[in-house]
Amino acid sequence: GQLPERINSEVFQVDYYRNGKLQLLFSTRSSLYLIDRNGNFVEKYPVKLRSPSTCGVAVFDYDRNRDYRIFIACEDRHVYVYTKEGNLLPGWGFDKSESEVTQPVEHFRIGDRDFIVFGDRFKTYLLDRKGNTRIDVETYFPRSANNGYMLYSPRDGSGPGIATTDTTG
């Protein structure tokens, strides 16, 4: 069938039933979709978002055990996290960004610590898996609309960091 809106994200392959058969998960402006191999919606999907999304969905499988976490930023400045079953993740503590988040949320693991990373117009957020601030980024700058974040390891061995660009590159 026809979707009521354009897809606004990557299309992620997930193993919802943990049986080796893959389903497709993606977002539109107003909903999350999970479609099986026959083109049918998986139970509870599509999931209507609490507010229109401002970027595409991101899907992470932290421990490679198919216990997916589905992140999406919305116009109400909340970043929502869903379980694969389409429920809001209990215990997610992030309140609101200062302005709209217009690029998908990213995930990095440094050692045994997870970093949930995203930025709005001027601020970068580095959170833990529960949505608490892991590192408070006090530097504000106009973020580039075209570049996300990357993990880098300096040659001098000074420890890993996360890089992005401002509007001047």
Side-chain angles (χ1 to χ4, degrees):
Q2 186 87 14
L3 293 174
E5 321 172 273
R6 289 177 49 191
I7 295 173
N8 70 353
S9 70
E10 264 183 72
V11 177
F12 294 89
Q13 291 186 319
V14 298
D15 185 354
Y16 179 91
Y17 299 105
R18 296 182 171 159
N19 63 3
K21 295 180 177 151
L22 298 176
Q23 295 76 40
L24 301 177
L25 191 144
F26 56 88
S27 62
T28 63
R29 194 164 141 70
S30 66
S31 299
L32 298 174
Y33 289 87
L34 185 59
I35 297 177
D36 70 18
R37 298 159 29 134
N38 300 317
N40 301 314
F41 295 126
V42 172
E43 60 213 67
K44 275 198 80 172
Y45 285 86
V47 171
K48 180 119 176 76
L49 297 171
R50 299 274 175 110
S51 173
S53 63
T54 53
C55 60
V57 69
V59 179
F60 308 127
D61 183 6
Y62 300 128
D63 301 312
R64 295 199 169 91
N65 60 2
R66 296 175 279 196
D67 186 18
Y68 303 100
R69 292 295 178 253
I70 300 163
F71 286 78
I72 192 151
C74 294
E75 281 180 8
D76 63 5
R77 301 193 337 264
H78 284 283
V79 173
Y80 293 100
V81 186
Y82 292 85
T83 64
K84 71 178 182 183
E85 294 81 17
N87 300 315
L88 285 170
L89 181 69
W92 172 250
F94 180 73
D95 185 30
K96 281 185 170 181
S97 56
E98 292 181 8
S99 60
E100 285 184 358
V101 174
T102 57
Q103 292 174 304
V105 174
E106 299 188 55
H107 169 253
F108 302 104
R109 178 165 288 159
I110 300 173
D112 59 355
R113 294 166 70 192
D114 290 290
F115 290 82
I116 305 301
V117 181
F118 55 92
D120 60 24
R121 199 160 151 217
F122 295 108
K123 184 169 169 58
T124 295
Y125 302 86
L126 301 175
L127 310 177
D128 65 15
R129 285 189 191 187
K130 294 198 177 305
N132 302 311
T133 299
R134 193 179 276 289
I135 297 173
D136 195 8
V137 180
E138 294 178 7
T139 309
Y140 284 64
F141 57 89
R143 283 201 60 251
S144 165
N146 302 316
N147 295 305
Y149 292 90
M150 4 184 320
L151 189 61
Y152 73 95
S153 298
R155 290 205 178 119
D156 66 10
S158 61
I162 292 174
T164 189
T165 57
D166 65 13
T167 50
T168 65

